[in-house]
Amino acid sequence: MRDEILAVDGGNSVLPASIEYKWPKLRADWRDCVLGQLDSGKLSIYDRSGVVADFEDSWSKLLDIEFSLVTSSGTAALHSAFYGIGLGPGDEVLCPTYTFFATAVPLLQLGALPVLVDCKPDGSFDAELAADLVTERTKAIVVTHMWGLPCEMTAILALADRYGLDVVEDCSHAHGARYRGRPVGAFGSAGAWSLQTQKIIAAGEGGVLATGRRDVYDRAQLLGHFNKRAVREMDTEGPLYRYATTGLGLKYRAHPLGVAFAAGQIAELPQWIDAKQDYANRIAEYFQRIDGVRALTMSTAERTSAHYALLFEVDPEVVEGGRDWLVRACNAEGIGDVDVPKATSPLHTLEVFQDPVSPVVKYDKECIRSSYPVADRLAARTFKISVPCAPRGHEDEDDRYLEAVRLVTEKIADHLSRQDGRSLRHSPL
Ligand SMILES: Cc1ncc(COP(=O)(O)O)c(C=O)c1O
């Protein structure tokens, strides 16, 4: 057992050079897909054809769902889902407060109001708390499978059934996650994924919506895919078909180069999710050698996490300086990926939910209708770290990343086990 001075206290860092988890990998075959698309000259795809159709077909197959629609971002996919289910002014939507704000902000574009709900201790949507916030205006529930861990969909669907609500799943962290063996995103009226550069399926920028409902798909096409696609794809008998040529003023088409980069990744997703289970187990084991640190988002028998990231809670009564100290200590030893998810501050702490505004209505109700102690606790005590997936050709790189995590956590755990001050009640390893 070493007892070196920690880098955060002025010692040498355990890693010779700082290491960051690299994603997406720029694999040769994915580059070739992009170059092939470029060479095709098709830098704008107006209808459902080419690489866009290939991506959508693969996505629908993966989800075992009828319709997929590639969009310019996850935010656009969520907006399309909300418009798709018919939300409008005055409607209320039960939303997690513990999520990234783009889960809820698109509702403002429709004049619908997000009503914020506290989370469970693992960060997932709490259907019981949500039930207390249902009013006669409530029309839908949106949930986020945070950090890749599926929400308890059985309870959420039961609540939705009880009040006749639509369910939208924000799966932006959860490509390939499964609940009771079924892929997330296919449980409710629509699923939405971001394909932004850090995401498990990465286009650089992009998104995708999936739905089993023809009406949702058609409305989503109308919102952002006017002219050729909407004209060719929408149900000609549907009530909104006459607007297909012009659409409704938005264009949410994705860039074909990004789609080409991402399309080839889909086939490998199931293997990546398997690999992530193993990496997540090892990362959890390494960090949990530090007394007072606990992994919150591990998979369970029913909930297979996509492990977009792994979330840990640090008990400040055990680790002096708590989460912030531990993050600084890991960063100083050379792991830049250990990080406080600042962009995912609980929504009730953000101005736009404290004093909601919409481009289309003046709100007469509040988003904040309860207190949020569980989300506040997560915001104060947790950090996250990326979980690798070892795509073919990059296994060694990801193993080196794991080894770096092992070395850093071992040094910190060893050090704390010898410090009375920092670790307030550390048990020997
Ligand atoms: C949970 C969640 N929802 C929605 C989004 C929005 O996705 P995008 O950045 O592609 O618009 C993100 C991505 O950052 C996200 O993490």
Side-chain angles (χ1 to χ4, degrees):
M1 192 184 281
R2 284 185 299 257
D3 186 21
E4 294 164 23
I5 300 171
L6 295 181
V8 71
D9 295 331
N12 294 324
S13 40
V14 70
L15 302 178
S18 192
I19 187 163
E20 298 260 351
Y21 177 62
K22 286 208 192 77
W23 190 259
K25 318 284 184 193
L26 299 181
R27 217 169 66 188
D29 51 337
W30 299 342
R31 278 172 187 265
D32 288 347
C33 290
V34 176
L35 292 175
Q37 188 64 34
L38 194 58
D39 289 342
S40 78
K42 295 205 170 94
L43 297 184
S44 197
I45 297 181
Y46 306 106
D47 54 4
R48 203 185 96 78
S49 66
V51 72
V52 167
D54 292 346
F55 186 107
E56 291 177 356
D57 290 346
S58 307
W59 202 250
S60 292
K61 193 161 165 233
L62 186 82
L63 272 278
D64 193 19
I65 204 163
E66 196 165 356
F67 306 107
S68 291
L69 175 66
V70 164
T71 57
S72 52
S73 69
T75 308
L78 283 156
H79 185 197
S80 307
F82 295 142
Y83 178 71
I85 61 172
L87 293 174
D91 293 340
E92 292 181 359
V93 180
L94 298 166
C95 284
T97 193
Y98 185 69
T99 184
F100 180 60
F101 52 77
T103 305
V105 174
L107 290 167
L108 309 181
Q109 288 291 330
L110 297 165
L113 186 72
V115 173
L116 303 182
V117 182
D118 204 3
C119 58
K120 296 188 171 204
D122 61 12
S124 63
F125 192 81
D126 192 324
E128 249 177 70
L129 294 177
D132 294 339
L133 298 169
V134 173
T135 71
E136 70 286 352
R137 294 186 177 201
T138 309
K139 293 287 173 350
I141 306 172
V142 56
V143 302
T144 307
H145 305 296
M146 283 298 285
W147 312 118
L149 182 66
C151 294
E152 299 278 5
M153 291 311 297
T154 307
I156 291 161
L157 295 174
L159 175 66
D161 270 0
R162 178 142 51 106
Y163 293 102
L165 310 176
D166 280 304
V167 174
V168 172
E169 294 173 76
D170 181 350
C171 311
S172 296
H173 293 181
H175 314 63
R178 292 187 300 275
Y179 178 72
R180 296 190 170 171
R182 262 181 78 193
V184 301
F187 284 89
S189 304
W193 292 255
S194 168
L195 304 176
Q196 178 268 344
T197 196
Q198 296 172 326
K199 300 303 188 298
I200 298 173
I201 300 289
E205 295 293 349
V208 55
L209 171 146
T211 178
R213 275 175 45 184
R214 174 94 231 180
D215 61 324
V216 174
Y217 179 58
D218 276 6
R219 288 173 66 92
Q221 292 186 98
L222 186 69
L223 192 71
H225 303 263
F226 56 75
N227 210 5
K228 287 191 181 152
R229 175 162 189 154
V231 168
R232 287 180 193 164
E233 297 300 313
M234 282 177 73
D235 177 3
T236 52
E237 305 292 313
L240 296 170
Y241 184 72
R242 60 201 174 110
Y243 304 115
T245 304
T246 55
L248 301 179
L250 294 172
K251 193 174 101 171
Y252 279 170
R253 250 186 244 149
H255 200 299
L257 295 185
V259 181
F261 184 69
Q265 300 169 22
I266 299 172
E268 292 176 44
L269 183 61
Q271 287 124 266
W272 295 354
I273 298 304
D274 287 348
K276 277 173 174 274
Q277 307 309 306
D278 178 48
Y279 281 116
N281 286 337
R282 284 159 61 195
I283 293 173
E285 185 195 314
Y286 297 157
F287 270 100
Q288 286 173 167
R289 287 183 309 203
I290 303 171
D291 200 21
V293 177
R294 195 164 63 95
L296 297 183
T297 53
M298 301 301 288
S299 295
T300 66
E302 296 196 330
R303 302 158 80 195
T304 306
S305 177
H307 288 305
Y308 173 55
L310 197 51
L311 192 73
F312 287 93
E313 179 170 353
V314 182
D315 184 347
E317 303 212 338
V318 179
V319 180
E320 190 185 323
R323 183 270 314 271
D324 291 347
W325 176 83
L326 186 59
V327 169
R328 278 203 309 281
C330 291
N331 294 162
E333 296 298 344
I335 305 234
D337 249 272
V338 171
D339 165 49
V340 177
K342 291 175 219 66
T344 30
S345 311
L347 305 195
H348 64 274
T349 65
L350 304 175
E351 191 69 27
V352 77
F353 300 100
Q354 292 173 348
D355 187 12
V357 285
S358 160
V360 293
V361 291
K362 191 162 169 20
Y363 289 123
D364 60 358
K365 294 269 191 288
E366 310 287 319
C367 299
I368 297 177
R369 301 189 193 170
S370 72
S371 60
Y372 303 97
V374 185
D376 286 336
R377 180 186 163 108
L378 291 182
R381 290 180 166 215
T382 56
F383 68 86
K384 67 169 174 61
I385 182 167
S386 305
V387 179
C389 65
R392 187 164 31 80
H394 291 267
E395 296 89 342
D396 292 355
E397 186 184 314
D398 282 359
D399 283 342
R400 281 198 297 281
Y401 173 81
L402 252 281
E403 180 58 8
V405 175
R406 188 185 72 75
L407 288 171
V408 166
T409 48
E410 184 178 73
K411 180 177 172 188
I412 295 172
D414 283 359
H415 180 86
L416 290 182
S417 72
R418 290 165 181 265
Q419 298 281 308
D420 290 340
R422 187 67 73 185
S423 176
L424 303 178
R425 52 175 168 80
H426 186 81
S427 50
L429 293 174

